[in-house]
Amino acid sequence: MSRLSRREEQVRRMLAGRPAPVPTGLVERAVTHGERLRRRRTVRRAAWALLMLAVIAFTVWAAAVEPWGARTTVHTTPALKVW
């Protein structure tokens, strides 16, 4: 008997036998897990959308105001008084 036919025979015996019992509460746990994953995915998508909107808003603001091109000189330190 070759190795392939031996495995094939094992699979046939497993499929012909009685199916394994399903644990109680499995469906409820699967539904809860699925809802949690869906909620997590929705929150992640909303966070990415909010981040993208913030980046776009900043880009539009920066293009309109051009804060890097300000020509005014700002003195942040007071003038030095001679003692």
Side-chain angles (χ1 to χ4, degrees):
M1 185 179 265
S2 71
R3 183 175 182 177
L4 183 60
S5 62
R6 190 177 320 136
R7 285 188 180 176
E8 192 173 310
E9 183 61 35
Q10 287 176 347
V11 170
R12 287 182 195 276
R13 272 189 269 136
M14 284 175 38
L15 291 175
R18 189 168 173 238
V22 176
T24 57
L26 180 66
V27 174
E28 291 83 13
R29 287 188 300 183
V31 168
T32 304
H33 184 68
E35 288 173 351
R36 194 177 319 128
L37 287 177
R38 189 177 307 120
R39 195 175 321 120
R40 205 179 278 172
R41 188 177 303 134
T42 303
V43 168
R44 189 177 302 133
R45 284 181 183 167
W48 275 108
L50 185 63
L51 178 67
M52 286 298 156
L53 286 174
V55 167
I56 291 170
F58 175 76
T59 304
V60 168
W61 171 81
V65 175
E66 293 184 3
W68 59 87
R71 300 286 181 209
T72 60
T73 306
V74 179
H75 297 286
T76 57
T77 57
L80 181 64
K81 294 182 181 178
V82 181
W83 293 35

